[in-house]
Amino acid sequence: MSHNGEHTPQPRPATQRATQIPRTESAHAPREPGTSTAGPDRTPGPDLITQGERDKLAPRLQQALDTFVDNPRQAVEEADAVFGDVATQFTDTLTERRRVLRTSWQDQDTDAQTEELRVALRQYREITERLLRMSAPAGR
């Protein structure tokens, strides 16, 4: 193979392709609940914090912001409490998600089915990518 600035990828044999995790999903590939595709029709995975909890926490944060002028210390204390509640729920959700994922592949015999492993890997990728996107500064 020559390296003249252009590289044409060589097709992989079918036996190698079968064990690869695809970057994109085909239109007819099955999707597991809570997973998404890399395409433009990408649907988000399950909530990291439920809508009901967000509906409770957002007004508390807004209340803290609204009361800052009258009572700055109390406003900051409430904002700190809301932040702590969000962080706790987020951590609890991620811990449970990891537990469920692990049981999907670890609790099986040592010959776990390739498809189950592929599904687990795809789910790990999806949640990790979501976390990485969340950790980037706003506007990126």
Side-chain angles (χ1 to χ4, degrees):
M1 175 186 307
S2 67
H3 294 276
N4 61 4
E6 290 186 33
H7 176 71
T8 304
Q10 299 298 315
R12 292 186 181 139
T15 56
Q16 284 183 325
R17 270 187 263 140
T19 59
Q20 298 286 323
I21 301 297
R23 284 276 186 214
T24 60
E25 301 289 329
S26 66
H28 60 291
R31 294 184 191 151
E32 294 74 25
T35 62
S36 61
T37 66
D41 62 338
R42 183 175 182 141
T43 57
D47 291 342
L48 297 175
I49 298 177
T50 66
Q51 183 63 50
E53 288 301 317
R54 289 193 307 268
D55 290 346
K56 292 176 189 173
L57 293 166
R60 285 179 52 202
L61 180 59
Q62 188 59 51
Q63 174 73 22
L65 296 172
D66 292 344
T67 62
F68 181 79
V69 172
D70 295 331
N71 195 337
R73 178 168 293 280
Q74 183 179 3
V76 172
E77 287 171 354
E78 179 61 12
D80 178 68
V82 173
F83 180 85
D85 290 347
V86 168
T88 297
Q89 289 191 17
F90 193 78
T91 301
D92 291 349
T93 299
L94 290 173
T95 299
E96 177 62 11
R97 180 87 45 87
R98 187 175 190 201
R99 185 194 66 73
V100 168
L101 270 171
R102 279 183 167 178
T103 59
S104 75
W105 64 272
Q106 271 188 339
D107 290 346
Q108 299 179 15
D109 59 31
T110 55
D111 295 326
Q113 298 295 320
T114 301
E115 178 62 14
E116 292 158 338
L117 294 171
R118 185 187 67 77
V119 168
L121 184 57
R122 192 168 67 196
Q123 290 175 345
Y124 277 118
R125 180 186 70 194
E126 191 273 339
I127 191 66
T128 302
E129 287 174 346
R130 282 178 72 188
L131 293 171
L132 291 171
R133 282 190 306 273
M134 288 174 51
S135 68
R140 280 194 189 173

